[in-house]
Amino acid sequence: MRDKKELVQNLKNSGYLKSQKVVKAFMEIPREGFIPKESRDYAYADQPLPIGHGQTISAPHMVAMMTELLEPEPGDRVLEVGGGSGYQAAILSKLVKKVYSIEVDPELVSFAKANLRRVGIRNVEMILGDGSEGYPKEKPYDKIIVTCATPKIFDSWINQLKTEGILLAPVGRGFYQELIKIRKTKKGLEKRNHGGCAFVPLRR
Ligand code: SAH
């Protein structure tokens, strides 16, 4: 098994990990704690891995890139759409105040909850539901991160985002999508394309 230090060093060398605080979060969270037994030997290879139900835990470089692009701040309340294994939420939990993570598959909600509990994380709330509606109960959010491929940016996400907030989402209908970052300003939405990516699709 390639170890965590080596993976983190590679992610720094290739420019995916940029800030010291995100490096620290990666060192603190054991990725093997979010992967089913069968694939655990590959926990520190830079690749997505199956977590059951046709879903995957994203590759570490994608988690690193998205975490950096989200510009996490200690006071932030973040909404994640697509909780999956809970790994992305766990990384964010070390960088922000609170993460609300919504996941549509009940068995994955249980899987993620168990993983987070085992690793000792208390500031992530896993919620069962359809994240295309966002999670109005705890709005507004400083940041929203979508980790399943979405055909479009839903109005619910923009509406539940604070002014000056950031939304990050893989947008596209095919196998590949584009990673779109939106900043909600007083004057409107600032959009930037951060290149190609491949996520499992949003289901409703
Ligand atoms: N962030 C996760 C990986 C997510 S994989 C991790 O760190 O492991 C994408 C996840 O999005 C899958 O678990 C899938 O079940 C979930 N998903 C798909 N459609 C959804 C929807 N409408 N609302 C919430 N979650 C959804």
Side-chain angles (χ1 to χ4, degrees):
M1 177 162 77
R2 293 168 66 203
D3 81 325
K4 186 160 57 181
K5 252 186 161 162
E6 191 184 330
L7 172 69
V8 167
Q9 191 56 50
N10 287 339
L11 294 175
K12 279 165 81 173
N13 293 345
S14 47
Y16 288 111
L17 284 175
K18 296 181 196 296
S19 59
Q20 196 45 47
K21 62 182 183 183
V22 179
V23 169
K24 189 161 173 270
F26 265 71
M27 289 307 294
E28 283 173 356
I29 302 295
R31 189 166 180 257
E32 67 272 24
F34 297 84
I35 292 170
K37 240 198 270 94
E38 311 81 76
S39 310
R40 224 165 268 167
D41 284 354
Y42 304 101
Y44 294 108
D46 189 12
Q47 62 188 53
L49 292 169
I51 52 173
H53 314 276
Q55 307 306 311
T56 55
I57 176 173
S58 307
H61 74 269
M62 192 44 71
V63 177
M65 184 177 171
M66 290 181 85
T67 304
E68 295 282 9
L69 284 172
L70 210 60
E71 302 175 27
E73 293 297 336
D76 283 351
R77 295 167 67 260
V78 178
L79 175 66
E80 180 187 31
V81 177
S85 67
Y87 178 70
Q88 172 73 74
I91 294 284
L92 285 170
S93 79
K94 297 289 179 186
L95 298 159
V96 304
K97 188 169 172 204
K98 176 94 190 193
V99 181
Y100 300 90
S101 181
I102 187 158
E103 166 58 52
V104 77
D105 184 319
E107 288 185 37
L108 285 175
V109 170
S110 308
F111 179 62
K113 278 187 177 170
N115 296 341
L116 291 162
R117 199 177 313 120
R118 208 179 328 100
V119 172
I121 287 164
R122 294 169 203 280
N123 58 337
V124 176
E125 190 178 323
M126 284 292 312
I127 301 136
L128 175 64
D130 175 5
S132 57
E133 310 290 339
Y135 186 54
K137 190 165 165 240
E138 295 290 345
K139 73 177 181 193
Y141 303 98
D142 298 282
K143 314 280 163 67
I144 299 179
I145 177 171
V146 181
T147 63
C148 46
T150 181
K152 61 171 193 161
I153 303 288
F154 289 96
D155 291 343
S156 54
W157 298 338
I158 300 294
N159 294 337
Q160 291 171 32
L161 194 61
K162 284 186 192 169
T163 304
E164 294 309 323
I166 292 172
L167 168 78
L168 200 57
V171 182
R173 292 173 187 275
F175 184 79
Y176 292 104
Q177 306 88 41
E178 315 213 283
L179 186 59
I180 303 295
K181 175 171 173 174
I182 291 178
R183 197 182 296 271
K184 181 176 175 178
T185 72
K186 280 186 209 124
K187 291 182 188 155
L189 302 180
E190 281 171 11
K191 258 190 216 189
R192 245 195 98 177
N193 186 337
H194 288 272
C197 52
F199 281 81
V200 295
L202 182 141
R203 300 173 281 162
R204 307 185 75 177

